[in-house]
């Protein structure tokens, strides 16, 4: 049997901090102890306090007055929320539903694991975002598209796996508040198309039931051309009656076997995937056809906005991939059923280390929206290099879209209307549109590796995304600290060192890879390691446009016009090089190498300096990590050390290739005379 760790649910022995007395037993009022979520909450509680405090409780759901945890139903608590309050030596956990209990129990266990006293606690928590999802890109043969931590634990040899590891996955996911999971790759091909057939429905039913016991709804990615590929009508036209009849029957069959199914995720008309454009229909036409059919079952349709031309001619400087999501979807705003959610990547390109926020957020005023981020580190180091992504996600959530601002086209940024913030967080939480079909999802970074995430430190992203999705008010530092204390150690030196590593890791990665928002420059298809011109003359629309005089993509009014997709003041800020945030300068502007940044440095000198600094920072991280030998579990120490060695090699390669390439393009030497090849 393969082995796997318990991640942040390791429940190692801890200092009891006065908690032993309080955690001694559990009493339930108003909840059915046979309910699967309640059962799981109780068994998690028993398991946790046995591991951490050495206390063997108790008959599930019994309790003596005067000690223990008392669980009580309170209808006024919001869905999936809870209130933990200690009074008179009893820890009271109030919730209105079973998911709230489960989350509350995980909260209590988290505090015990962090050696924090439960005495005096008064914490009322509710999810900031209705949907909080992990999207897996797992294929049925067991491979994972953009997976960097082994094979799938959902699929093997075209079979669905439901076993103890599935349960542990659910425990990890639920412990951070995840309530939806897409198990299969959005590129639905071959065997995956058959997921919605008898061949798989039995196992899917079991999996969905297991998930439901942890408050998680199972979702499937769908092949829009399934009618054709599964022997139905020879068309997938959403306006063709034969096609809708086929889907109606299919969806009825699926829901009969998998009643807990949350719905479907669709990647249509993108990177070779079929979609409604083939039939001259809009994205809304495609999404609505499915939405109407899943509605009777309470299902929802997640429809991706990652629609762009992937057969571009690099000579064409007017077509701009960054424009594509907005151009393809803005005209359909308001056309979608209320059980459709448009799933929008955080940036307009594709999960680069630095991108502006997608201008679709907020610009869509009458359509449900969901933020899609990626914790699988496709472009951010493949879970070899450490790259803690929560700060990036917070940045996206904090971005003020200026949506709904009455003077959005004339606003200069200092008008009073700018106080009425319409951040991405407001939009995807449903606060802006007062809707429940909204939320966040992350392309997940897990696999069958013993530690789930390849690099142990990538566990911070697996954990952090969920915590942030539930409680967007948490800071990246708070989340990092929690994860370290739960997964690694409560030792102060460990906490401080690893927190510093995590919190600086994104900037470090950015420094030794692609500067000032230019992105890409990665080895084509693999997306790890440098290849400055690797995509420059390809069909993918991901160009840096560097020549001997300058670098960057002109996305201003004179260029592709992309900057104008934002509401003001963002549009005018981005349009002008002097006001454009410098970390995004080359995303929006093509500038000479001698252009001076606010630091006084030229662009080329910034490129040289940041690449040398990036490598030095990796060396410093490694030196800090080495000091933790003996302070973290040996397996973790070895795992991270091995990853760091590879990261350093990668960083050096990036530094030398990027510096050399740009030196050769422009002929301007490094002011500091360092080695460039
Ligand atoms: C699942 C990028 C990735 C693809 C991925 C795609 C997507 O292009 O490289 O592997 O496909 O994004 O998000 O659909």
């Amino acid at each position: 049997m393969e082995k796997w760790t318990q991640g942040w649910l390791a429940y190692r022995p801890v200092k009891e901090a006065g908690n032993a007395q309080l955690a001694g037993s559990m009493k339930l009022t108003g909840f059915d102890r046979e309910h699967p979520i309640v059962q799981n909450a109780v068994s998690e509680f028993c398991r946790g306090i046995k591991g951490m405090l050495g206390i063997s409780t108790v008959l599930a759901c019994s309790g003596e007055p005067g000690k223990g945890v008392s669980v009580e139903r309170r209808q006024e608590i919001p869905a999936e929320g809870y209130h933990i309050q200690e009074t008179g030596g009893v820890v009271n956990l109030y919730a209105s539903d079973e998911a709230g209990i489960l989350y509350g129990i995980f909260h209590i266990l988290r505090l015990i694991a962090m050696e924090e006293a439960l005495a005096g606690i008064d914490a009322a928590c509710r999810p900031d975002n209705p949907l909080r999802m992990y999207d897996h890109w797992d294929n049925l043969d067991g491979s994972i598209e953009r997976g960097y931590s082994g094979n799938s634990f959902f699929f093997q040899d075209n079979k669905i796996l439901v076993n103890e590891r599935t349960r542990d996955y659910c425990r990890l996911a639920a412990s951070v508040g995840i309530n939806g999971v897409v198990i299969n790759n959005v590129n639905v091909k071959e065997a995956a198309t058959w997921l919605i057939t008898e061949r798989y429905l039995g196992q899917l039913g079991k999996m969905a039931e297991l998930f439901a016991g942890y408050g998680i709804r199972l979702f499937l990615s769908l092949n829009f051309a399934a009618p054709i590929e599964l022997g139905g009508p020879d068309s997938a036209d959403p306006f063709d009656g034969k096609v809708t009849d086929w889907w109606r029957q299919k969806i009825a069959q699926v829901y009969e076997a998998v009643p807990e199914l949350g719905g479907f995720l669709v990647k249509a008309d993108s990177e070779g995937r079929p979609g409604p454009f083939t039939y001259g229909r809009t994205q809304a036409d495609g999404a609505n056809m499915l939405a109407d059919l899943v509605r009777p079952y309470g299902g929802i349709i997640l429809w991706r906005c990652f629609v762009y031309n992937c057969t571009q001619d690099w000579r064409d400087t007017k077509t701009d991939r960054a424009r594509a999501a907005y151009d393809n979807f803005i005209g359909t705003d308001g056309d979608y059923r209320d059980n459709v959610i448009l799933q929008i990547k955080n940036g307009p390109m594709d999960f680069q280390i630095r991108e502006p926020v997608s201008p679709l957020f907020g610009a869509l005023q009458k359509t449900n929206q969901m933020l899609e981020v990626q914790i699988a580190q496709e472009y951010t180091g493949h879970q070899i290099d450490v790259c803690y992504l929560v700060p990036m996600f917070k940045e996206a959530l904090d971005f003020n879209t200026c949506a709904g601002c009455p003077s959005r086209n004339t606003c200069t940024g200092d008008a009073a209307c700018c106080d009425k913030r319409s951040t991405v967080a407001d939009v995807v939480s449903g606060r802006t549109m007062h809707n429940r079909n909204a939320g966040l999802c992350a392309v997940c970074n897990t696999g069958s590796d013993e530690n789930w995430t390849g690099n142990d430190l990538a566990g911070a992203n697996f954990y952090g995304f969920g915590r942030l999705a539930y409680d967007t008010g948490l800071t990246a530092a708070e989340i990092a600290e929690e994860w370290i204390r739960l997964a690694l150690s409560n030792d102060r030196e460990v906490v401080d060192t690893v927190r510093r590593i995590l919190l600086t890791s994104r900037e470090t990665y950015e420094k030794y890879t692609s500067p000032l928002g230019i992105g890409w420059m990665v080895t084509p298809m693999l997306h790890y390691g440098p290849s400055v011109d690797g995509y420059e003359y390809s069909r993918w629309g991901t160009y840096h446009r560097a020549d001997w005089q300058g670098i960057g993509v002109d996305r201003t009014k004179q260029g592709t016009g992309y900057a104008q997709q934002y509401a003001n003041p963002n549009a005018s800020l981005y349009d002008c090089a002097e006001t454009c945030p410098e970390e995004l300068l080359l995303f929006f502007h093509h500038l000479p190498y001698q252009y001076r940044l606010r630091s006084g440095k030229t662009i080329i000198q910034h490129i040289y300096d940041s690449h040398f600094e990036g490598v030095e920072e990796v060396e410093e991280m490694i030196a800090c990590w080495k000091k933790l030998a003996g302070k973290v579990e040996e397996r973790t120490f070895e795992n991270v050390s091995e990853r760091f060695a590879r990261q350093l090699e990668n960083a050096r390669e990036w530094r030398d290739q990027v510096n050399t390439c740009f030196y050769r393009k422009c002929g301007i030497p490094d002011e500091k005379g360092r080695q460039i090849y």
Side-chain angles (χ1 to χ4, degrees):
M1 181 70 174
E2 54 176 327
K3 289 190 304 173
W4 60 91
T5 66
Q6 293 295 313
W8 56 89
L9 300 179
Y11 299 140
R12 281 185 292 269
V14 289
K15 288 196 212 110
E16 64 104 22
N19 290 332
Q21 177 64 17
L22 286 162
S25 61
M26 188 186 255
K27 193 173 62 180
L28 272 167
T29 321
F31 282 99
D32 173 9
R33 69 168 64 184
E34 301 303 323
H35 190 288
I37 298 183
V38 175
Q39 282 187 7
N40 285 330
V42 171
S43 86
E44 195 69 34
F45 178 73
C46 295
R47 176 178 181 156
I49 67 167
K50 173 91 180 79
M52 293 188 285
L53 302 173
I55 299 171
S56 298
T57 41
V58 278
L59 284 174
C61 313
S62 78
E64 303 159 27
K67 70 174 206 166
V69 174
S70 160
V71 180
E72 205 179 303
R73 196 186 286 274
R74 286 250 172 117
Q75 294 300 356
E76 66 273 18
I77 308 235
E80 300 178 300
Y82 56 89
H83 186 179
I84 307 171
Q85 198 176 39
E86 185 268 327
T87 41
V90 178
V91 180
N92 297 291
L93 168 57
Y94 306 112
S96 64
D97 55 21
E98 288 75 15
I101 294 188
L102 184 65
Y103 297 156
I105 289 294
F106 276 119
H107 188 138
I108 292 171
L109 292 170
R110 190 158 63 230
L111 293 177
I112 296 174
M114 296 198 298
E115 301 178 342
E116 293 192 5
L118 290 166
I121 185 174
D122 188 358
C125 302
R126 57 189 294 177
D128 283 322
N129 300 288
L131 271 168
R132 308 171 298 278
M133 301 183 58
Y134 289 142
D135 288 5
H136 293 262
W137 286 355
D138 292 21
N139 299 315
L140 270 76
D141 63 3
S143 62
I144 302 180
E145 182 151 350
R146 310 304 175 188
Y148 311 108
S149 45
N151 293 322
S152 172
F153 46 76
F154 293 135
F155 307 107
Q156 192 178 42
D157 301 332
N158 293 331
K159 295 204 173 61
I160 297 177
L161 306 174
V162 185
N163 54 33
E164 272 314 295
R165 188 155 191 170
T166 328
R167 180 177 293 279
D168 280 350
Y169 167 80
C170 290
R171 293 174 50 238
L172 288 164
S175 74
V176 291
I178 294 295
N179 64 0
V181 168
V182 183
I183 55 170
N184 65 309
N185 188 356
V186 285
N187 290 326
V188 187
K189 300 178 200 163
E190 295 140 15
T193 306
W194 291 79
L195 271 176
I196 50 174
T197 67
E198 264 171 15
R199 195 187 287 178
Y200 292 107
L201 292 179
Q203 278 294 87
L204 282 176
K206 282 190 203 152
M207 188 182 259
E209 205 181 318
L210 175 63
F211 279 23
Y214 289 90
I216 298 168
R217 281 195 294 167
L218 172 72
F219 287 77
L220 295 175
S221 296
L222 210 60
N223 181 344
F224 195 77
I228 304 170
E229 291 185 32
L230 296 179
D234 199 20
S235 165
D237 181 353
F239 284 5
D240 180 334
K242 287 194 288 306
V243 173
T244 40
D245 283 348
W246 185 89
W247 274 116
R248 183 173 298 106
Q249 283 176 25
K250 177 52 66 192
I251 284 169
Q253 181 195 19
V254 172
Y255 270 97
E256 187 172 354
V258 195
E260 292 92 354
L261 192 76
F264 300 101
L265 169 64
V266 187
K267 170 177 179 176
D269 293 305
S270 169
E271 298 184 333
R273 296 293 77 218
F277 282 168
T278 310
Y279 306 94
R281 314 298 179 201
T282 67
Q283 297 293 298
D285 297 333
N288 290 343
M289 182 262 298
L290 292 168
D292 288 340
L293 299 177
V294 297
R295 181 188 299 283
Y297 311 97
I300 55 177
I301 298 298
L302 309 166
W303 193 268
R304 293 179 92 224
C305 293
F306 185 61
V307 178
Y308 72 100
N309 171 9
C310 68
T311 54
Q312 196 186 322
D313 182 345
W314 58 268
R315 298 165 191 86
D316 164 13
T317 54
K318 286 293 172 195
T319 306
D320 182 2
R321 173 167 162 179
R323 294 188 57 112
Y326 184 101
D327 285 344
N328 281 312
F329 284 88
I330 197 70
T332 61
D333 189 18
D335 291 350
Y336 297 86
R337 302 287 189 264
D338 61 4
N339 61 333
V340 175
I341 309 180
L342 293 190
Q343 188 169 303
I344 307 168
K345 287 191 181 184
N346 60 292
M349 295 296 275
D350 197 4
F351 302 135
Q352 300 302 292
I353 189 67
R354 181 82 64 177
E355 284 186 51
V357 166
S358 170
L360 259 186
F361 289 112
L364 293 168
Q365 303 255 313
K366 294 172 279 186
T367 302
N368 300 327
Q369 295 156 66
M370 182 155 176
L371 170 66
E372 176 180 334
V373 297
Q374 191 188 46
I375 53 177
Q377 291 174 235
E378 175 178 356
Y379 294 97
T380 53
H382 284 202
Q383 291 149 235
I384 297 167
D385 302 24
V386 56
C387 192
Y388 177 54
L389 293 162
V390 174
M392 182 201 279
F393 305 157
K394 282 211 65 99
E395 220 171 76
L397 288 166
D398 287 346
F399 180 74
N400 188 359
T401 66
C402 299
C405 168
S407 51
R408 66 195 293 249
N409 292 319
T410 49
C411 178
T412 52
D414 50 11
C417 61
C418 284
D419 294 339
K420 294 197 197 103
R421 291 174 65 84
S422 307
T423 62
V424 171
D426 291 325
V427 173
V428 302
S429 62
R431 288 191 292 272
T432 306
M433 279 179 42
H434 309 287
N435 55 337
R436 293 281 308 158
N437 281 335
L440 271 74
C441 64
V443 178
C444 203
N445 61 353
T446 51
S448 62
D449 276 3
E450 185 181 0
N451 65 357
W452 300 85
T453 53
N455 187 335
D456 270 36
L457 296 186
N461 289 326
F462 184 27
Y463 177 87
F465 169 76
R467 290 289 289 132
L468 184 68
Y470 189 93
D471 184 352
T472 303
L474 288 169
T475 66
E478 282 164 343
I479 293 173
E481 170 143 356
E482 278 183 10
W483 176 78
I484 298 162
R485 293 173 69 181
L486 300 174
L488 302 183
S489 167
N490 278 306
D491 177 279
R492 208 59 249 169
E493 189 187 344
V494 174
V495 174
D496 290 345
T497 305
V498 179
R499 196 186 44 208
R500 212 170 36 245
I501 290 175
L502 290 176
L503 290 176
T504 53
S505 59
R506 183 220 185 172
E507 268 75 23
T508 298
Y509 186 83
E510 181 179 35
K511 281 182 182 175
Y512 64 77
T513 57
S514 57
L516 303 170
I518 196 72
W520 308 93
M521 306 204 296
V522 286
T523 307
M525 306 325 279
L526 177 67
H527 300 171
Y528 186 77
S531 176
V532 175
D533 287 334
Y535 272 123
E536 199 53 22
Y537 307 103
S538 76
R539 64 184 172 96
W540 294 97
T542 56
Y543 315 116
H544 53 60
R545 305 283 186 205
D547 58 17
W548 63 280
Q549 288 172 306
I551 174 173
V553 184
D554 184 357
R555 294 190 160 107
T556 67
K557 282 193 206 103
Q558 289 72 42
T560 72
Y562 164 79
Q564 298 307 310
Q565 292 184 340
Y566 293 88
N568 266 326
N570 297 321
S572 42
L573 268 177
Y574 290 144
D575 211 74
C576 164
E578 277 66 48
T579 54
C580 181
E582 269 184 352
E583 67 277 11
L584 291 170
L585 194 58
L586 300 179
F587 190 93
F588 284 100
H589 298 273
H590 183 88
L591 294 166
Y593 293 106
Q594 302 281 23
Y595 179 90
R596 282 206 187 270
L597 302 173
R598 275 157 234 155
S599 61
K601 281 182 194 179
T602 60
I603 284 179
I604 188 65
Q605 194 55 41
H606 174 91
I607 291 176
Y608 295 148
D609 286 352
S610 61
H611 282 78
F612 282 109
E613 272 167 36
V615 175
E616 283 157 22
E617 286 174 16
V618 177
E619 286 164 346
E620 280 161 31
M621 284 178 184
I622 294 175
C624 293
W625 178 255
K626 278 195 176 139
K627 293 195 193 129
L628 302 185
K631 294 193 163 238
V632 294
E633 224 178 79
E634 197 181 333
R635 190 202 51 73
T636 300
F637 185 77
E638 294 304 330
N639 166 271
V640 175
S641 302
E642 183 264 345
R643 300 276 152 161
F644 266 141
R646 287 158 73 189
Q647 178 170 3
L648 183 58
E649 209 177 298
N650 186 39
R652 286 183 177 142
E653 202 57 35
W654 270 98
R655 175 196 63 193
D656 293 339
Q657 286 204 29
V658 170
N659 284 348
T660 303
C661 185
F662 286 107
Y663 172 64
R664 288 181 184 176
K665 279 188 201 288
C666 72
I668 304 169
D670 172 32
E671 282 169 6
K672 297 181 187 154
R674 290 163 292 193
Q675 170 112 51
I676 291 177
Y677 298 86

